[in-house]
Amino acid sequence: MKQRLLLCLLLCGVMLYYAVPRLSLESGGLESLFAGSWLLFALLAVAGNLTGILYSPPKKQKVKRKLEYKRLRQY
């Protein structure tokens, strides 16, 4: 799970590194609207991936939950 989130975070960073110099917010009109919305969605993707990495439960808790679930299924 964390590997997938790290990979997505890395890809978001690469896209931002490549796109930010090419986007112009000062031009006005639809071009600046597109640039602003693209940056907003890219930053939301970065924030979502960081949230997933920071708030994912440790492996010990996952194993413990699986054992509890198996015990409950036995009854």
Side-chain angles (χ1 to χ4, degrees):
M1 176 83 170
K2 283 192 177 185
Q3 291 89 5
R4 181 184 62 88
L5 291 171
L6 284 173
L7 179 65
C8 290
L9 188 63
L10 178 67
L11 288 174
C12 287
V14 168
M15 284 192 322
L16 282 170
Y17 180 77
Y18 183 75
V20 167
R22 289 165 177 75
L23 294 173
S24 92
L25 293 171
E26 297 89 23
S27 63
L30 287 176
E31 186 178 351
S32 66
L33 181 66
F34 172 77
S37 62
W38 194 92
L39 286 173
L40 176 70
F41 286 130
L43 292 175
L44 283 174
V46 168
N49 285 313
L50 280 176
T51 303
I53 290 170
L54 293 175
Y55 291 112
S56 64
K59 287 185 179 182
K60 290 180 182 178
Q61 286 182 353
K62 289 181 185 179
V63 171
K64 187 177 179 182
R65 284 186 193 165
K66 285 182 183 179
L67 291 174
E68 289 175 4
Y69 181 71
K70 284 182 182 178
R71 266 190 251 141
L72 290 175
R73 287 189 67 195
Q74 289 176 355
Y75 296 114

